[in-house]
């Protein structure tokens, strides 16, 4: 059974680990908790809420961030040959653990991975109605590269040169 992190947890030595099938329930619960606030604003569930996580584990890099032996966040990414970048498909931090730097930790980890693979940038997108995310990505050095509607979602695309 998945447990929610408590807000009394403090960052100790967070550890990145490859997600396993056993982590799927926790990832799904975390995604649902984090993204449910956007359902009303968007008029439908955000794409990660309907993700087939078992399939994603087979086709993408899915990492979990553990702190105090609890999963506090997750990041999904893959090499995007078209843009010659490491593309972040999803980054999520449990709502109870937001504001502790875990999101920044997850993204910095992927930036390091991109550099190890000789890739010049990290790319991602977010929904145009997730204005908090847009501001956060800009503060982290990502530049907006475009906006388009895909799969019925209005998406804002970003790139960070490394």
């Amino acid at each position: 059974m998945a447990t929610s992190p408590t807000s009394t947890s403090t960052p100790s030595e967070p550890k990145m680990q490859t997600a396993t099938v056993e982590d799927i329930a926790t990832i799904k619960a975390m995604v649902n908790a984090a993204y449910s606030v956007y359902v009303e604003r968007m008029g439908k569930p955000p794409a990660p809420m309907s993700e087939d996580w078992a399939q994603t584990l087979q086709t993408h890099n899915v990492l979990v961030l553990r702190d105090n032996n609890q999963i506090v966040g997750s990041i999904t990414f893959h090499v995007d040959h078209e843009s010659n970048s490491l593309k972040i498909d999803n980054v999520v931090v449990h709502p109870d653990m937001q504001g502790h730097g875990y999101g920044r930790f997850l993204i910095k980890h992927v930036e390091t991975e991109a550099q190890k693979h000789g890739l010049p940038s990290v790319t991602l997108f977010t929904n145009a109605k997730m204005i908090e995310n847009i501001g956060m990505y800009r503060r982290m050095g990502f530049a907006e590269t475009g906006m388009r509607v895909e799969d019925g979602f209005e998406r804002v695309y970003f790139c960070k040169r490394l």
Side-chain angles (χ1 to χ4, degrees):
M1 177 172 192
T3 58
S4 294
T6 60
S7 58
T8 57
S9 296
T10 56
S12 53
E13 292 183 40
K15 293 182 175 81
M16 298 293 293
Q17 297 176 325
T18 300
T20 65
V21 172
E22 291 78 20
D23 296 325
I24 290 174
T26 302
I27 292 170
K28 283 174 127 175
M30 183 170 49
V31 163
N32 289 339
Y35 284 95
S36 64
V37 299
Y38 297 112
V39 173
E40 185 176 335
R41 193 185 301 177
M42 293 172 55
K44 62 182 174 179
M49 291 179 77
S50 59
E51 182 86 26
D52 179 346
W53 289 100
Q55 176 65 28
T56 300
L57 279 179
Q58 295 176 23
T59 59
H60 291 70
N61 295 296
V62 181
L63 303 177
V64 292
L65 179 62
R66 292 183 188 273
D67 198 3
N68 295 320
N69 294 319
Q70 293 183 355
I71 295 176
V72 297
S74 178
I75 194 160
T76 305
F77 60 96
H78 71 279
V79 174
D80 183 355
H81 297 287
E82 185 177 318
S83 66
N84 194 33
S85 72
L86 208 56
K87 182 177 181 189
I88 297 173
D89 299 290
N90 186 53
V91 58
V92 62
V93 173
H94 192 283
D96 292 343
M97 300 308 295
Q98 292 175 3
H100 295 282
Y102 292 122
R104 188 172 298 273
F105 187 95
L106 289 161
I107 291 172
K108 289 289 183 192
H109 181 82
V110 169
E111 290 173 5
T112 300
E113 286 297 309
Q115 290 173 323
K116 285 181 187 175
H117 288 90
L119 297 168
S121 62
V122 172
T123 55
L124 58 84
F125 65 81
T126 191
N127 192 284
K129 296 192 189 245
M130 296 180 179
I131 55 174
E132 303 87 349
N133 293 350
I134 293 169
M136 178 185 68
Y137 295 136
R138 287 179 178 154
R139 286 188 301 276
M140 292 183 71
F142 285 84
E144 188 175 325
T145 59
M147 181 182 256
R148 60 185 174 266
V149 176
E150 292 177 324
D151 302 324
F153 295 99
E154 190 175 359
R155 294 178 170 159
V156 182
Y157 285 77
F158 290 90
C159 179
K160 182 174 183 180
R161 300 273 172 221
L162 304 173

